[in-house]
Amino acid sequence: YGTISYVVESPQEKGVIWVGSDDGLVHLTTDGGKNWKNVTPAGLQECLINAIEVSPHDKATAYIATTRYKFNDHTPAIYKTMNYGQTWVRITNGIAPNAFTRVVREDDVRRDMLFAGTELGLYLSWNGGNSWEPCQLNMPIAPITDLRVHQGDLIASTSGRAFWILDD
């Protein structure tokens, strides 16, 4: 069995907790941990569930950023569910094929505005992940290890290049 790699509680629903593991499994509880359901995307290979984001706009929508770089596979992999993990869609169109993903976050004001942190920088989607575009601005091309939307700003942590705050 794998070990837990990521845990997030839904900000809108008490007792709803998503858990990802380091072997690619995703589980969900809606009753505070009494019962768990395996909601892993169908066909997902062994991977690390690196980040889980529950949409601030829709309690049934969640995103996972996965990575297989330890298997020498640098393909980006972000998945989206709109029904509590019953079905998932891979949403990586426009992300460079060798920019493996580390994190995905949704803007807390603008629905469907997503940010993806990859091994090769930051990507932006205006349409819920249907397509992505690079968003480097003046940031160095460096691994984006985590992202946070806070009071209208995007905060990015990079591997070895400090924190960056993208104002508004």
Side-chain angles (χ1 to χ4, degrees), residues 63 91 104-106 112-116 123-125 128-129 132:
Y63 307 88
I91 54 168
V104 60
R105 301 287 183 230
E106 186 172 14
D112 290 332
M113 183 177 183
L114 302 177
F115 305 96
Y123 283 80
L124 172 66
S125 174
W132 295 87

Side-chain angles (χ1 to χ4, degrees), residues 99-100 102 116-123 135-136 138-147 156-162 164:
F100 68 83
R102 294 179 175 268
T118 76
E119 184 67 6
L120 301 177
L122 183 65
Y123 283 80
C135 183
Q136 256 346 97
N138 66 341
M139 295 173 54
I141 296 176
I144 305 294
T145 57
D146 206 353
L147 296 167
S157 77
T158 65
S159 182
R161 301 291 178 113
W164 293 75

Side-chain angles (χ1 to χ4, degrees), residues 3-157:
T3 56
I4 293 174
S5 60
Y6 206 87
V7 178
V8 65
E9 187 167 11
S10 173
Q12 300 115 327
E13 289 183 286
K14 188 176 178 95
V16 175
I17 303 168
W18 294 80
V19 175
S21 70
D22 68 354
D23 60 355
L25 298 177
V26 181
H27 285 83
L28 173 68
T29 180
T30 58
D31 58 14
K34 293 177 186 166
N35 298 287
W36 291 89
K37 182 177 180 184
N38 184 339
V39 294
T40 304
L44 185 65
Q45 292 181 292
E46 185 175 352
C47 63
L48 170 67
I49 305 299
N50 213 50
I52 302 171
E53 173 76 352
V54 178
S55 172
H57 307 284
D58 176 15
K59 59 188 178 181
T61 298
Y63 307 88
I64 58 171
T66 72
T67 184
R68 288 180 41 85
Y69 75 90
K70 292 182 180 181
F71 297 95
N72 202 30
D73 180 352
H74 294 190
T75 307
I78 300 173
Y79 295 85
K80 176 181 182 177
T81 181
M82 297 174 69
N83 54 17
Y84 292 99
Q86 292 177 32
T87 59
W88 294 87
V89 176
R90 189 173 179 143
I91 54 168
T92 56
N93 184 33
I95 298 177
N98 60 338
F100 68 83
T101 44
R102 294 179 175 268
V103 63
V104 60
R105 301 287 183 230
E106 186 172 14
D107 189 80
D108 57 2
V109 174
R110 184 175 176 161
R111 184 184 187 125
D112 290 332
M113 183 177 183
L114 302 177
F115 305 96
T118 76
E119 184 67 6
L120 301 177
L122 183 65
Y123 283 80
L124 172 66
S125 174
W126 299 96
N127 55 18
N130 291 327
S131 61
W132 295 87
E133 58 189 62
C135 183
Q136 256 346 97
L137 304 173
N138 66 341
M139 295 173 54
I141 296 176
I144 305 294
T145 57
D146 206 353
L147 296 167
R148 172 126 191 249
V149 177
H150 181 69
Q151 296 180 353
D153 299 331
L154 179 66
I155 303 166
S157 77

